[in-house]
Amino acid sequence: MADKPPEYLSPYVLAAKQFGGGFATLLWASVETQEARFGAFARATPLKGVSVLDVGCGRADLLDYLRRTGHTPAEYIGIEAVPDLADAAERGGATVLRKDFIAEPRCLFTGSDVVLISGAINTVKDVAFYDTLRRAYDAAAQHLVFNFLD
């Protein structure tokens, strides 16, 4: 990553300087609210036995959640631009593309059945936000599922 991260990655890069690959770097309110969103994803679309792309995967907590709740995907790929978080995801057994999906949108096209974006576009400005959703929709073979907090 460049010396100065893009504005949309700055909150995560700054958090990683303090918390490394820990939960606090994700900027989630709590594990409970994170898992509530993951549960909503699992109810919204079938995830068991399909290929899943987790955009802005962080530590791959989604993969851990899916495994624990019986929704294990056939394939899981995460995209993560913050090195400490990508390291944590890989330690948990995730396959991780160390990419910035805003700067390199081609990385969204992995052939995955389901593309999930859980909070990773919360810090992105309008044009990039909508462009990313369009690309993620195009990249998903079956479903795009995302949440957005403003």
Side-chain angles (χ1 to χ4, degrees):
M1 188 178 312
D3 290 335
K4 184 176 181 198
E7 183 180 339
Y8 52 84
L9 284 176
S10 291
Y12 303 102
V13 172
L14 290 172
K17 286 180 182 179
Q18 184 174 1
F19 303 109
F23 182 81
T25 300
L26 301 173
L27 306 178
W28 284 93
S30 69
V31 171
E32 293 78 21
T33 60
Q34 180 193 48
E35 291 200 350
R37 290 184 194 117
F38 293 166
F41 284 166
R43 290 187 302 277
T45 188
L47 299 173
K48 182 177 182 177
V50 301
S51 57
V52 172
L53 175 65
D54 185 0
V55 179
C57 70
R59 307 174 326 152
D61 291 343
L62 173 63
L63 177 59
D64 180 55
Y65 174 86
L66 295 174
R67 287 173 172 160
R68 284 187 292 108
T69 60
H71 296 95
T72 304
E75 177 184 43
Y76 173 95
I77 300 170
I79 298 175
E80 183 53 58
V82 179
D84 287 328
L85 293 174
D87 291 346
E90 288 173 344
R91 282 193 300 275
T95 298
V96 179
L97 304 176
R98 292 170 177 258
K99 302 281 185 182
D100 174 350
F101 62 88
I102 301 295
E104 301 177 73
R106 289 185 307 269
C107 71
L108 295 168
F109 292 84
T110 60
S112 297
D113 298 318
V114 178
V115 175
L116 290 161
I117 308 174
S118 183
I121 52 178
N122 291 345
T123 59
V124 178
K125 301 285 187 221
D126 287 352
V127 172
F129 174 87
Y130 291 111
D131 284 349
T132 298
L133 286 181
R134 278 190 281 282
R135 288 183 181 117
Y137 178 81
D138 290 343
Q142 295 176 8
H143 303 281
L144 167 63
V145 184
F146 71 95
N147 75 308
F148 173 69
L149 304 172
D150 186 18

